[in-house]
């Protein structure tokens, strides 16, 4: 599986998200500033609510722009067994039931599931609980995470 292709898919998905958020921010701003939405009394809050929404959407758009900048600068390196799993690694885990999952560790802001052919790859950051758990591990190592009251165990099958 090509890490560069995965990185490009993350950037494309973030660009799509940014476009949607910017459209929503513009619509909320237009609603907030439209003359028909000027408050006539203290209970008329449509304009105020739209302004809050526009502000939130603008913040979300900035967060996506930051994530895109990090992903553009990101350079995944080949797996180095002496360092173990690092950001940029493509990892295959298996659980106790034999169910496999593939992870691509990257910078913050790119948490999503991508398809590559018939395979699914979960993109996570090194700050995610599972991301933190696999950092520094090698093929054959056990990985354990606690999610609520449940402890999940995985084995690292392979790393690229």
């Amino acid at each position: 599986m090509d890490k560069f292709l995965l990185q490009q898919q993350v950037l494309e998905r973030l660009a799509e998200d940014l476009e949607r958020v910017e459209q929503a921010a513009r619509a909320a701003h237009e609603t907030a500033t439209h003359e028909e939405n000027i408050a006539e009394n203290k209970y008329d809050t449509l304009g105020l609510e739209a302004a809050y929404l526009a502000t939130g959407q603008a913040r979300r758009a900035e967060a996506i722009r930051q994530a895109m900048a990090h992903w553009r600068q990101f350079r995944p390196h080949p797996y180095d067994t002496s360092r173990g799993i690092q950001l940029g690694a493509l990892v295959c885990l298996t659980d106790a039931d034999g169910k496999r999952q593939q992870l691509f560790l990257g910078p913050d802001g790119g948490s999503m599931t991508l398809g590559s052919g018939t395979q699914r790859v979960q993109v996570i950051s090194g700050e995610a609980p599972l991301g933190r758990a696999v950092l520094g591990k090698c093929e054959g190592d056990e990985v354990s995470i606690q999610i609520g009251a449940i402890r999940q165990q995985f084995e690292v099958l392979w790393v690229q």
Side-chain angles (χ1 to χ4, degrees):
M1 189 164 304
D2 186 353
K3 294 180 193 180
F4 178 75
L5 177 62
L6 290 172
Q7 182 178 12
Q8 292 309 308
Q9 288 179 343
V10 169
L11 285 167
E12 288 169 10
R13 181 84 61 84
L14 288 171
E16 291 167 4
D17 290 350
L18 180 60
E19 185 177 327
R20 279 192 297 276
V21 169
E22 286 177 336
Q23 287 174 351
R26 281 191 297 276
H29 182 266
E30 289 171 11
T31 300
T33 57
H34 195 277
E35 65 185 42
E36 290 181 6
N37 293 329
I38 296 172
E40 295 177 5
N41 59 51
K42 67 181 183 177
Y43 301 106
D44 192 2
T45 61
L46 179 63
L48 181 61
E49 292 167 6
Y52 286 137
L53 181 59
T55 300
Q57 295 288 9
R59 286 185 185 138
R60 176 68 183 129
E62 184 55 33
I64 294 172
R65 282 188 207 94
Q66 290 292 325
M68 289 177 73
H70 291 134
W71 275 92
R72 280 189 198 106
Q73 296 171 359
F74 181 55
R75 299 292 177 259
H77 297 290
Y79 173 61
D80 179 356
T81 56
S82 67
R83 296 183 63 209
I85 296 170
Q86 301 295 313
L87 287 185
L90 184 60
V91 180
C92 183
L93 301 177
T94 185
D95 64 13
D97 298 327
K99 182 180 175 191
R100 293 181 179 200
Q101 63 178 313
Q102 292 185 35
L103 307 173
F104 181 48
L105 274 74
D108 287 341
S111 180
M112 62 187 70
T113 301
L114 299 174
S116 180
T118 60
Q119 299 178 345
R120 290 273 175 250
V121 177
Q122 179 67 43
V123 181
I124 62 172
S125 79
E127 296 302 314
L130 187 54
R132 282 194 306 268
V134 299
L135 286 174
K137 301 288 185 184
C138 296
E139 291 179 358
D141 285 352
E142 295 288 322
V143 176
S144 178
I145 61 170
Q146 185 80 28
I147 300 177
I150 300 171
R151 176 160 294 286
Q152 293 186 334
Q153 302 272 81
F154 303 95
E155 179 185 350
V156 179
L157 288 183
W158 54 258
V159 184
Q160 293 181 351

